[in-house]
Amino acid sequence: MKKSCSFILPLMNIFPSRRLCLAGTALILLLSACNNPTTPFAADTTVDSIWADSAYQRAKKAEFYYNNNLRDSLFVQVKEDMEFDKEHKQWDWYYYSWMLLVNKCTFGGDVKRALEEANLMHTDATKRNNAYGLALAKYTTALVYACQENYEEATIGFKEALRRYPKDCDPSVLFVIYYYYSSTLEEKNDQESNEEVLSLWKAALDKTFQESDKYDDTKALWLYQYYKALFGYHFSQKDLVQATADLDSMQYYVEHSGNTVYGVTYLTGSRSKLALASKDYAKAISYNNKEYIESKKLGPTIYIKAVERRAEILEAMGKYREALMLRNEFERLKDSLNQVDSQHELNEMTKRYELDELRSQQEKEKGELKQRQMNFIVAFAIILLIILFIVSIIRHRSRLRLAQEHQKLIDAYKQLTIANERAEESSKMKTMFIKQMSHEIRTPLNILSGFTQVLTAPDVELDNETRAEVNERITKNTARITELVNKMLELSDASSTSVIEKKDNISVEQIIISAIEAVGMSSYKMIDFQSEITPKASNVTLLTNYDQSVRALSLILDNARKFLQKPTGEANGQSMGKIRLMVRLEKDKNIVFSVEDSGIGVPPSEAEHIFEEFVQLDSFYEGMGIGLTVARSITRRLGGDIVLDTTFRRGARFIMTLPLS
């Protein structure tokens, strides 16, 4: 007699093309009751049955940890089980426990360890000449390759696992291998080989269930899985008649295996899929309504498939607006499913590339602050001694000096406090910048993906107004992504001190025209924009870098545009404010660009702070606080500079200077 270890498979495939491997979908293993609980996989009269039963009980506990995703407990249990099995020569249970560990690593995304453990299992089984261990080693290796979409290596591994699988071992693991082998061939689109594998699988099922009745409890389950794979094969072959028969068989075995909510939902979704392929849209939407309701109970991973199928049906029916709404819902669900993984990746990236740097910077700043405080304390003590000495000579003068020095210390301490607050603010802004960039890039990408799916759907017909709106939003979000990437590239170069090559002889007027066009100033109808250039400056040619000069000036103009006062009534034609660009020649050496705006202005105390990375004095306005940083970096590397004119009171005025040569 054999001890049965039945594998209950999930209702969906686990390959990365369906994004379920990373979502945590995995094999669910359960030990089933049997007539002889003391015998392992194969009858073995040479091994004490007590040890075999103990190995079985240990494996049952490990499978409990596996099924409930208790990874740490599973790894500890497997290590103990393998030591026990090795000591008492329970080799089938030994390799079975090892397989649990490898599969958990595979479905947990730890591919490197999964391959290492599978190779160690193969080496160990080869040394012991254990056929069952060799079969499991080939199977686990193939499963890793399948999850990595390396279907060529995966098919070779599954085929070798079937060849090596001992005939006298429990067939449950054999059926699992057939299931994943068939799924891999379906992903690979190798229908000829898949047909052969399905035929071999069916023969193995028939042989198992005809020769013995001890697997009756699992017969319905395994035949359901077989017909599920067979349906996928016939559907891919567009044999809708046979696919319909497969679904009828699936329904029979779902009913006989307990009508689980997963089985019923998958079956309903498959019938909707088949009706859609047959262009029976009424039946397709009817089945989808049931799938739509039931899948909500099973969580977003399954519900999202019902939403996607519903969108496909509505598109086929010509209901494009409703389909578009569902596509947006699909994108929202997909974004929600990936949010945890994306946040985890973002946190890992932050820890890896930023956290150590930020912590070391903060510790350094704290140390410097303490040292400065200590220095000031020492200096203060010295000053006090000097003051006490002077008091004995000229009391009045000493008192006055003490007051002055004390005030200086207070001012210095305030400056240190402000500097520390700014350093902490900069650290927070860096972290916020990383999160904001992740959000800013993902949002337009989701919009582009949704509209692209609608536009590329067969027989899509959109009226001119809708098409124009879609085109405008695609163009806008494409430009948005491009601008974000450009800003990231510029920011990475902002801290550079290398001199920019001056290779262009260009007129001042051309720089002005190009910068105004780059900002698109003419498109802002509610802004009163004026530009003035003195006669001497208009005839001047600069030896500079044309692209970088234009970029620096356009960033200053764009900064002025963003910080204009918001309009109180655009509808009645009220202006958002004024921007004035004035250009003049200074001492026949420099060209001075003066950009004035009537916005909220900048306090004189922030004149240098605003040029630091990620600084935003008012978060109400758009931007990420890097424009002025990049502009000053470019200008200084061209031999010029940008400063804030603190004497200007009617808004803000920035002065950009470029040398003639």
Side-chain angles (χ1 to χ4, degrees):
M1 299 295 290
K2 305 174 185 177
K3 183 176 295 296
S4 172
C5 292
S6 301
F7 287 68
I8 299 180
L9 295 163
L11 296 171
M12 293 178 289
N13 292 337
I14 56 90
F15 295 106
S17 58
R18 288 172 173 80
R19 305 307 299 160
L20 295 179
C21 185
L22 294 181
T25 303
L27 242 350
I28 302 175
L29 303 116
L30 294 174
L31 288 169
S32 63
C34 60
N35 296 327
N36 186 0
T38 62
T39 308
F41 289 89
D44 187 356
T45 59
T46 65
V47 179
D48 191 339
S49 61
I50 295 177
W51 300 130
D53 184 63
S54 297
Y56 165 72
Q57 296 297 335
R58 286 175 171 273
K60 186 175 181 180
K61 186 176 182 180
E63 285 191 342
F64 172 81
Y65 294 142
Y66 185 100
N67 297 335
N68 291 276
N69 201 29
L70 300 174
R71 180 187 175 98
D72 294 338
S73 298
L74 171 67
F75 287 174
V76 172
Q77 185 66 38
V78 166
K79 181 179 179 181
E80 294 177 356
D81 291 354
M82 291 177 64
E83 291 176 354
F84 176 88
D85 297 335
K86 185 176 182 180
E87 180 182 355
H88 299 290
K89 303 186 185 306
Q90 300 295 310
W91 299 117
D92 288 337
W93 290 114
Y94 174 80
Y95 292 113
Y96 179 77
S97 298
W98 205 341
M99 179 194 67
L100 291 181
L101 183 147
V102 178
N103 283 356
K104 179 57 68 175
C105 291
T106 300
F107 295 122
D110 193 351
V111 176
K112 180 179 179 182
R113 182 176 180 184
L115 284 175
E116 290 175 351
E117 293 289 347
N119 288 332
L120 289 173
M121 187 194 305
H122 186 273
T123 302
D124 188 271
T126 301
K127 182 177 67 175
R128 303 182 196 284
N129 195 25
N130 187 292
Y132 183 71
L134 286 171
L136 293 193
K138 291 293 183 181
Y139 153 64
T140 52
T141 303
L143 193 59
V144 174
Y145 284 132
C147 286
Q148 295 298 305
E149 301 186 29
N150 187 347
Y151 300 132
E152 290 295 335
E153 293 293 337
T155 53
I156 294 173
F158 286 130
K159 185 176 182 179
E160 185 68 12
L162 291 176
R163 186 183 72 83
R164 291 179 176 275
Y165 200 85
K167 295 181 180 180
D168 59 345
C169 276
D170 179 87
S172 294
V173 178
L174 179 67
F175 296 156
V176 172
I177 298 173
Y178 273 120
Y179 179 86
Y180 286 123
Y181 192 8
S182 175
S183 299
T184 301
L185 292 171
E186 182 180 345
E187 292 292 330
K188 189 181 175 184
N189 199 25
D190 187 352
Q191 302 304 336
E192 182 178 351
S193 299
N194 195 16
E195 182 179 9
E196 180 182 353
V197 169
L198 288 169
S199 177
L200 293 173
W201 186 4
K202 185 61 165 62
L205 287 167
D206 291 341
K207 180 180 179 181
T208 299
F209 297 132
Q210 287 176 2
E211 289 184 352
S212 173
D213 61 352
K214 63 181 175 298
Y215 292 108
D216 286 347
D217 293 341
T218 60
K219 178 178 180 179
L221 171 67
W222 281 116
L223 287 174
Y224 161 74
Q225 295 295 341
Y226 166 75
Y227 281 107
K228 176 182 173 182
L230 194 63
F231 167 76
Y233 166 74
H234 286 135
F235 188 84
S236 66
Q237 294 292 303
K238 303 187 185 305
D239 188 349
L240 303 186
V241 174
Q242 190 58 50
T244 303
D246 296 336
L247 287 181
D248 292 339
S249 297
M250 286 170 60
Q251 182 167 351
Y252 175 82
Y253 291 115
V254 165
E255 292 173 354
H256 283 74
S257 61
N259 276 324
T260 64
V261 64
Y262 283 97
V264 173
T265 303
Y266 180 84
L267 182 63
T268 305
S270 299
R271 290 197 181 279
S272 177
K273 178 180 178 181
L274 185 62
L276 176 60
S278 304
K279 297 185 179 181
D280 188 346
Y281 303 134
K283 185 178 291 186
I285 200 69
S286 176
Y287 280 123
N288 179 253
N289 286 335
K290 298 177 182 178
E291 178 192 14
Y292 198 78
I293 294 171
E294 293 299 324
S295 62
K296 284 186 176 180
K297 304 174 183 177
L298 302 177
T301 303
I302 298 178
Y303 174 58
I304 192 174
K305 298 297 292 183
V307 173
E308 183 180 27
R309 196 177 342 270
R310 196 179 193 88
E312 292 173 355
I313 296 171
L314 291 173
E315 287 173 3
M317 296 172 67
K319 299 181 179 181
Y320 300 114
R321 291 189 179 277
E322 296 179 39
L324 179 60
M325 294 175 62
L326 283 171
R327 286 292 181 189
N328 289 333
E329 173 68 6
F330 175 80
E331 291 298 330
R332 185 190 66 78
L333 288 169
K334 185 167 68 173
D335 186 63
S336 177
L337 283 172
N338 291 330
Q339 184 177 5
V340 174
D341 288 337
S342 297
Q343 187 63 43
H344 176 71
E345 293 173 3
L346 180 60
N347 290 340
E348 289 297 321
M349 181 182 68
T350 303
K351 291 177 182 178
R352 191 176 302 152
Y353 298 107
E354 293 291 334
L355 192 56
D356 290 341
E357 180 182 347
L358 293 176
R359 285 177 176 173
S360 62
Q361 182 65 24
Q362 289 175 350
E363 291 297 327
K364 181 180 178 181
E365 291 171 352
K366 289 180 180 178
E368 291 176 350
L369 178 60
K370 289 181 179 179
Q371 185 62 42
R372 289 174 184 172
Q373 290 175 337
M374 182 60 68
N375 292 340
F376 276 111
I377 291 173
V378 173
F380 183 74
I382 295 173
I383 292 171
L384 285 178
L385 291 174
I386 295 173
I387 292 174
L388 291 174
F389 176 76
I390 296 175
V391 165
S392 63
I393 303 173
I394 309 174
R395 179 176 296 180
H396 179 72
R397 184 176 298 177
S398 298
R399 289 176 180 174
L400 180 60
R401 183 174 299 175
L402 177 61
Q404 292 174 345
E405 293 296 333
H406 183 68
Q407 186 60 45
K408 288 180 181 180
L409 288 174
I410 292 175
D411 294 340
Y413 185 80
K414 288 181 179 179
Q415 292 176 2
L416 286 174
T417 302
I418 293 172
N420 187 50
E421 290 175 351
R422 287 180 176 176
E424 292 179 354
E425 178 186 3
S426 177
S427 297
K428 292 179 181 178
M429 289 300 294
K430 287 180 181 179
T431 302
M432 291 176 62
F433 174 76
I434 294 173
K435 295 181 179 179
Q436 183 179 356
M437 286 301 300
S438 175
H439 173 75
E440 289 288 332
I441 290 176
R442 187 170 65 238
T443 298
L445 281 177
N446 286 339
I447 294 173
L448 291 175
S449 175
F451 282 119
T452 302
Q453 292 180 30
V454 173
L455 291 175
T456 57
D459 302 326
V460 172
E461 294 182 5
L462 300 175
D463 56 67
N464 292 335
E465 180 180 355
T466 303
R467 187 175 295 277
E469 179 184 353
V470 171
N471 182 64
E472 179 184 0
R473 294 187 67 181
I474 289 176
T475 302
K476 180 179 179 181
N477 283 279
T478 301
R480 182 179 176 186
I481 294 175
T482 302
E483 179 64 15
L484 287 170
V485 173
N486 288 338
K487 286 187 176 181
M488 288 290 292
L489 293 174
E490 289 178 333
L491 179 60
S492 67
D493 198 40
S495 59
S496 175
T497 58
S498 61
V499 177
I500 298 175
E501 181 183 2
K502 301 177 184 180
K503 57 183 179 178
D504 304 313
N505 284 299
I506 194 72
S507 68
V508 176
E509 288 186 337
Q510 185 59 46
I511 293 176
I512 296 171
I513 293 171
S514 298
I516 292 173
E517 289 179 353
V519 177
M521 194 64 73
S522 60
S523 64
Y524 298 100
K525 304 300 183 182
M526 304 306 295
I527 294 178
D528 182 9
F529 176 72
Q530 299 176 5
S531 63
E532 299 177 10
I533 181 170
T534 63
K536 287 184 178 182
S538 63
N539 298 322
V540 171
T541 299
L542 285 80
L543 176 59
T544 186
N545 187 297
Y546 170 67
D547 293 334
Q548 297 294 341
S549 299
V550 171
R551 181 58 178 163
L553 182 57
S554 64
L555 285 171
I556 300 300
L557 288 171
D558 190 57
N559 183 74
R561 175 193 63 77
K562 289 188 292 188
F563 286 93
L564 287 179
Q565 292 290 346
K566 290 184 68 65
T568 56
E570 284 187 12
N572 55 21
Q574 291 186 8
S575 173
M576 294 174 65
K578 297 180 180 180
I579 296 178
R580 185 181 181 190
L581 170 62
M582 295 174 290
V583 185
R584 59 184 173 84
L585 179 64
E586 182 184 66
K587 299 180 181 179
D588 295 330
K589 292 183 179 180
N590 301 313
I591 290 294
V592 179
F593 301 84
S594 176
V595 178
E596 299 177 2
D597 66 74
S598 59
I600 61 174
V602 180
S605 60
E606 301 291 337
E608 287 300 315
H609 186 215
I610 57 174
F611 289 99
E612 296 176 6
E613 294 178 0
F614 313 117
V615 172
Q616 289 179 282
L617 299 183
D618 193 334
S619 60
F620 178 83
Y621 294 89
E622 65 181 74
M624 292 176 286
I626 63 175
L628 292 177
T629 305
V630 173
R632 173 177 271 191
S633 173
I634 292 173
T635 308
R636 286 183 172 178
R637 291 162 65 196
L638 288 172
D641 201 357
I642 296 178
V643 297
L644 173 71
D645 185 355
T646 56
T647 64
F648 190 75
R649 292 289 185 268
R650 297 187 300 276
R653 175 193 288 163
F654 287 87
I655 307 297
M656 185 177 91
T657 305
L658 288 178
L660 294 182
S661 62

